[in-house]
Amino acid sequence: MQYANELRKNGILINAADPGYVDTEINNHSGYVTVAQGAAVLVRLATLGGDGPTSGFVSEDGPVPW
């Protein structure tokens, strides 16, 4: 959060993402979220405009309380 607050003035947004329990080889395909679904939150954060949120923790359903 300190980095997010400090870098915001330079137009850099820092957020954490929870893609969910993604179905991958690393968990022997036991996840219930597809790779595309898990990536959606990451893509959304990566394409935020300069006025977007910062220092947040976000899942597919929206902000997650720290």
Side-chain angles (χ1 to χ4, degrees), residues 2 12 20 32 40 44 49 62:
Q2 289 177 329
I12 298 171
Y32 52 86
R44 190 168 66 241

Side-chain angles (χ1 to χ4, degrees), residues 16-20 37-38 40-42 44-45 56-65:
D18 174 11
Q37 290 171 317
V41 67
L42 304 175
R44 190 168 66 241
L45 288 174
F57 183 36
V58 183
S59 74
E60 182 179 12
D61 298 324
V64 177

Side-chain angles (χ1 to χ4, degrees), residues 9-33:
K9 64 185 175 198
N10 297 345
I12 298 171
L13 306 177
I14 298 176
N15 291 288
D18 174 11
Y21 190 44
V22 180
D23 181 6
T24 64
E25 288 183 20
I26 201 165
N27 62 22
N28 201 27
H29 296 284
S30 62
Y32 52 86
V33 176

